[in-house]
Amino acid sequence: DTDLMTFNISVHRSWWREHGPGCVRRVLPPSAHGMMDDYTYVSVTGCIVDFQYLEVIHSAIQILLSLVGFVYACYVISIFMEEEDTCKYC
């Protein structure tokens, strides 16, 4: 029940929910009985793609880039290891 995982900067909402492609964001005035720091007053309409799909695509791209970076790092390490094995003056 704490906001530790979000570093107290969100109310467990996705950034993509309000900033997706084609989304129109409107801030509605808070009601009299509502809290002023509550984000339920944001209305989002007209999104081309649902934010859940955008988050999945975003995560997949990050995993793909991590995999490519890991493979490239292994390749660079193998190149340096081969250079150490060959001695010009031995």
Side-chain angles (χ1 to χ4, degrees):
D1 292 340
T2 65
D3 291 329
L4 181 63
M5 296 299 286
T6 59
F7 301 111
N8 294 327
I9 59 172
S10 73
V11 202
H12 307 289
R13 298 229 177 171
S14 170
W15 183 86
W16 288 109
R17 174 177 279 193
E18 298 176 11
H19 300 93
C23 292
V24 177
R25 180 179 183 258
R26 282 182 296 189
V27 178
L28 303 174
S31 62
H33 65 356
M35 295 182 341
M36 294 302 287
D37 60 346
D38 192 5
Y39 290 102
T40 57
Y41 304 112
V42 175
S43 171
V44 180
T45 57
C47 296
I48 296 172
V49 180
D50 288 338
F51 74 95
Q52 294 96 340
Y53 297 121
L54 288 173
E55 286 198 9
V56 169
I57 293 168
H58 186 192
S59 298
I61 290 171
Q62 287 181 338
I63 291 170
L64 182 65
L65 288 175
S66 298
L67 183 62
V68 168
F70 180 76
V71 169
Y72 184 70
C74 290
Y75 172 72
V76 169
I77 288 172
S78 70
I79 293 296
F80 282 125
M81 295 301 282
E82 287 178 7
E83 287 180 4
E84 288 180 7
D85 291 340
T86 58
C87 180
K88 295 180 182 178
Y89 304 110
C90 296

